[in-house]
Amino acid sequence: MKEKKTKSNYISIGESRKIIRYNIKQMRYYEALKKKNRSPEEYTSVMHDENNLVELDNLKTCFFTDTGTVMSVNGVSFNIPKNKIVGVVGESGCGKSVTSLSIMQLVQAPQGQVIDGEIRFNSDNLGRTEDGKKLAYNIVKMPTKEMYKIRGKDITMIFQEPMTSLNPVFTIGFQLDEVTLLHEPGATKESAKEYSIELLKKVGISMPEHVYKSYPHELSGGMRQRVMIAMAIAGHPKLLIADEPTTALDVTIQAQILELLKQLQKTENCSIMLITHDLGVIAEMADEVIVMYAGRVIEHGTAEDIFFNPMHPYTIGLQKSKPLLSSDASKPLYSIPGQVPNPINLPDCCYFKNRCNKRLCKCSGAYPPMIKVSDTHYVSCYLYDEQKTDEVKDEEAK
């Protein structure tokens, strides 16, 4: 009797060579698209709602690795309205940061590439179509040299660790002046210095003239993060992406930075995409909340929807895992059981199925669609499919 061959996690030399050849072909293809000279009509689109600043539609970003293609962002769709704070939450590796880097066209190339979807950016530089619809840049198809015109000016980003974002061999003033001289036509060294000192004052730095002449290593973590915020708002951006801006800071400084971001969002009339692990930060800051898991959006709605009426079992698990002052110190902190599926071989069914304590038979079928629970609340879960069907029947009966 022959023994059945068990599936191995290892790949053969032949399979490895095949993957490498495929990766090289794909990376060359997508890199060539970035350098291709395109007419503006090729990288412009139409906004579905002109009240939105950014619209992500079926965004797919992957990484070509030696063991296969990792789908880091797999069909993500959501909107960032004008003058709103949108919080993106989820565990490590769920695709939050890669989504933000895709908007900035800063995914680590050549391995990382945006392969599908649209990112529509509502720019004032574009007019309207003949039928009055608002034109927008499609960042996915935008050539790199054209992206330079809006990155750092209209769309800016505050990174997680300021010490790795600031150049240690240049002064704070030199790096702040560079943003103004690059994006403001007609700016001089004197006007750039004056504006940089004004920005340092705006973000709450005392003795801005001294900090202007300092090097990054001479400042504390909180001061460096304030400098990064000053650099981000230098060009009066429409969208400010904050990728876990308080992770490397202590609790007192965290509160100050968050309050500063909230204040700047109102004074600068910009939108903020806030990425964080901390549900408390999201509850305090965000107008709308996006919950991501394994590269997909599984639930989104207003802050009230997500925190007072969480529907997806993963969102409920995230909230249960947050420590509270009223929690029993003698009991261990709740953790969601199981592991995230392998991003190289993702299943066709719901990605959360093996970790879910409420799974149904149909969860083994196709991936659940996004179900509308209310005008502002959407969830990707079969638990609410029957509820939706009943509501439709009731409306038809009326």
Side-chain angles (χ1 to χ4, degrees), residues 136-154:
Y137 288 121
N138 181 8
I139 292 175
V140 171
K141 294 184 178 179
M142 206 171 184
T144 304
K145 64 178 183 179
E146 295 297 327
M147 188 65 191
Y148 290 151
K149 297 176 182 177
I150 64 171
R151 185 170 60 207
K153 180 174 174 61
D154 293 335

Side-chain angles (χ1 to χ4, degrees), residues 11-23:
I11 57 174
S12 65
I13 294 175
E15 289 172 328
S16 178
R17 287 174 178 168
K18 186 178 179 182
I19 290 170
I20 291 170
R21 285 196 298 269
Y22 173 80
N23 288 350

Side-chain angles (χ1 to χ4, degrees), residues 284-338:
E284 178 69 24
M285 294 280 293
D287 299 303
E288 297 184 13
V289 182
I290 309 295
V291 184
M292 291 187 66
Y293 180 77
R296 284 182 179 263
V297 175
I298 58 160
E299 187 170 1
H300 69 91
T302 63
E304 290 79 9
D305 291 333
I306 300 300
F307 285 94
F308 293 112
N309 186 29
M311 306 196 81
H312 199 284
Y314 175 69
T315 310
I316 296 169
L318 281 180
Q319 294 201 23
K320 287 172 67 178
S321 63
K322 180 175 173 57
L324 302 172
L325 290 173
S326 58
S327 301
D328 189 350
S330 61
K331 293 182 179 179
L333 192 64
Y334 176 82
S335 63
I336 302 172

